[in-house]
Amino acid sequence: MNFELTPEQKMIRDTARELATREIAPKAAQIDKSHQFPRDIFSRLGELGLLGIMVPEAWGGAGMDTLSYALALEEISRACASTGVAMSVQSSLVEGPILKEGTDAQKARWLPDLAAGRAIGCFALSEPEAGSDAKAQKTRAVRDGNRWVLNGTKNFITNGPVADVAIVVAATDPAAGSRGITAFIVPMKTAGVTVGPPDDKLGICGAPSAQLFLADVALDDGARLGPAGGGFKIAMRALDGGRIGIAAQALGIARASFEDAVRYARERKTFGQPIAEHQAIQFKLADMRTDIDAARMLLWRAAIKKDAGGAYSTDAAMAKLFASEAANRAAKEGVQIFGGYGYLRDFPAERHFRDAKITEIYEGTSEIQRMVIASALLKD
Ligand code: CAA
């Protein structure tokens, strides 16, 4: 087993690290406080090729592998978890399914703009009554000649308030269950598409999410993504890739908590010595570091298996499960190491603590990841 990165992988990681350190980290507290989507930073990601890492060069991307994407996303999320999730949704949940299932016309229309950050994408699967049970879709798409008419409400749509395009999943044949669901590419300017007010959230406050309302949204058949009835599998495959993205985001948050805590532990003195000299703190730091490395190994394995072309759902679920729970452990201990200061908004530890929580919830809760892992192992 070789853990050495290629020169290209190091290059993209270093590009992301440089941007994250110089331009994103100094703004992260303000992005969180203002609840403003960092459009300028998103554009910079696009300019540097970080929004189309896995998109082939022919479609305007960097044509690199999933591990490169994970490396870059970890660096961006280490500086700002809000920016990290926006990048993850754009890459995994929007570009991913267009690349995999789209026609050449759909790829040409959307991928160059998404990869360059000229367009922002969102992924509309969840509904008020279809979260973990994703196939319980109430949004309907009814065929009318060569058109489809969509009606319904989507929930918690990350990037929704700023998006130009949405991947929308809707029931086209409710009696057929998961085989009666179809995916569509919906420009947000289409008549009948409206977005609710931004959700008021605990964390990732710079990544706006909202409800999406579809009222008699008429689309021609060219907006259909993949086969009619194939939408559930398209969404599940997109989420397999998405879980790699969220694992990388969680890893970035864990690293931020850990690195901030190490720096503080070296500076802060109690009982006449830096708290890093106390075994109580050393044990916390050792556990955080071990968690981070274990999460990274699971993430890299999932990324490498995805590119190898075989099944990787379970690997992505394990990576997302472990990394998100590791991020929450690290963020909690980060606050503890900072003590009273960790509880203040003046220090980043409390932002990491709030940002970490969502990684155990979106793109499949930890309970859903365990279901995915268990159902695969019981089939073996
Ligand atoms: N890839 C391809 N196909 C898949 C698949 C996958 N990963 N998982 C399931 N399928 C297929 C199955 O093989 C089955 O196909 P057949 O009909 O041919 O047999 C079909 O899909 C139905 O599968 P299941 O019976 O296993 O489906 P289920 O109803 O039991 O659900 C689930 C499975 C894993 C629980 C799924 O509902 C799930 O992942 N739920 C969580 C949803 C989720 O992650 N939502 C996140 C929303 S997006 C978000 O958070 C983005 C954001 O804003 C940041």
Side-chain angles (χ1 to χ4, degrees):
M1 205 175 299
N2 178 11
F3 293 107
E4 188 60 27
L5 299 173
T6 65
E8 293 76 20
Q9 289 162 344
K10 286 183 188 159
M11 192 260 307
I12 197 91
R13 181 200 58 194
D14 294 347
T15 302
R17 185 175 290 171
E18 172 103 355
L19 177 76
T21 311
R22 281 174 192 260
E23 299 182 38
I24 305 180
K27 295 183 180 164
Q30 185 54 28
I31 291 169
D32 173 61
K33 203 170 176 182
S34 67
H35 290 229
Q36 289 298 313
F37 177 70
R39 205 172 269 277
D40 54 336
I41 289 173
F42 202 74
S43 300
R44 285 287 288 142
L45 293 175
E47 275 167 35
L48 293 174
L50 297 171
L51 292 177
I53 293 174
M54 297 175 291
V55 173
E57 289 177 31
W59 303 113
M64 299 179 79
D65 59 10
T66 307
L67 182 52
S68 303
Y69 165 64
L71 292 164
L73 187 47
E74 177 189 330
E75 297 300 329
I76 300 300
S77 304
R78 189 251 171 271
C80 175
S82 294
T83 307
V85 72
M87 173 175 164
S88 179
V89 168
Q90 178 97 341
S91 306
S92 294
L93 297 186
V94 183
E95 292 165 0
I98 294 177
L99 247 182
K100 195 156 178 58
E101 327 284 343
T103 62
D104 279 356
Q106 290 169 333
K107 290 178 188 172
R109 168 64 192 92
W110 291 109
L111 290 176
D113 283 352
L114 289 163
R118 290 188 296 269
I120 301 175
C122 65
F123 178 77
L125 170 71
S126 298
E127 299 187 354
E129 291 171 71
S132 289
D133 185 5
K135 70 170 176 298
Q137 294 285 311
K138 290 225 167 74
T139 296
R140 288 294 314 271
V142 175
R143 189 147 197 169
D144 173 16
N146 196 37
R147 294 188 330 154
W148 295 88
V149 180
L150 275 62
N151 279 286
T153 301
K154 296 292 179 178
N155 245 28
F156 309 128
I157 307 306
T158 303
N159 289 355
V162 292
D164 302 289
V165 62
I167 305 291
V168 174
V169 173
T172 43
D173 180 4
S178 65
R179 295 180 180 196
I181 290 171
T182 303
F184 298 89
I185 305 177
V186 183
M188 295 292 280
K189 285 194 179 130
T190 312
V193 178
T194 51
V195 180
D199 298 326
D200 193 8
K201 298 185 290 199
L202 174 72
I204 55 160
C205 298
S209 62
Q211 285 193 309
L212 205 70
F213 303 105
L214 305 155
D216 290 331
V217 175
L219 302 169
D220 73 42
D221 194 46
R224 177 171 43 79
L225 181 62
F232 187 76
K233 286 185 185 169
I234 290 173
M236 289 299 112
R237 282 189 216 110
L239 281 165
D240 285 340
R243 289 165 187 166
I244 290 180
I246 300 307
Q249 185 209 19
L251 181 56
I253 298 169
R255 245 185 71 206
S257 303
F258 169 71
E259 289 170 7
D260 290 353
V262 170
R263 199 174 315 114
Y264 185 74
R266 286 193 168 125
E267 287 164 6
R268 172 74 174 171
K269 289 192 174 139
T270 60
F271 307 102
Q273 56 182 350
I275 61 171
E277 300 298 323
H278 301 311
Q279 198 178 53
I281 301 298
Q282 291 176 355
F283 280 11
K284 289 187 196 300
L285 295 175
D287 287 347
M288 289 159 93
R289 177 61 207 263
T290 306
D291 257 357
I292 286 169
D293 277 20
R296 191 177 283 120
M297 292 302 100
L298 284 171
L299 170 62
W300 287 17
R301 183 181 72 175
I304 290 165
K305 283 185 80 168
K306 174 171 179 271
D307 287 334
Y312 72 97
S313 304
T314 314
D315 304 271
M318 285 186 196
K320 199 259 187 193
L321 172 64
F322 191 84
S324 62
E325 296 194 347
N328 277 274
R329 286 191 290 272
K332 177 171 168 282
E333 292 297 25
V335 170
Q336 195 67 16
I337 290 169
F338 272 79
Y341 295 109
Y343 204 66
L344 300 185
R345 293 209 194 265
D346 311 15
F347 290 83
E350 71 84 35
R351 170 163 53 86
H352 305 325
F353 185 76
R354 288 184 289 105
D355 286 347
K357 185 59 209 169
I358 191 62
T359 64
E360 293 178 329
I361 298 173
Y362 57 22
E363 305 207 19
T365 59
S366 289
E367 291 74 13
I368 290 292
Q369 308 311 325
R370 289 187 168 89
M371 274 171 58
V372 170
I373 297 161
S375 88
L377 76 88
L378 293 171
K379 269 186 210 145
D380 286 347

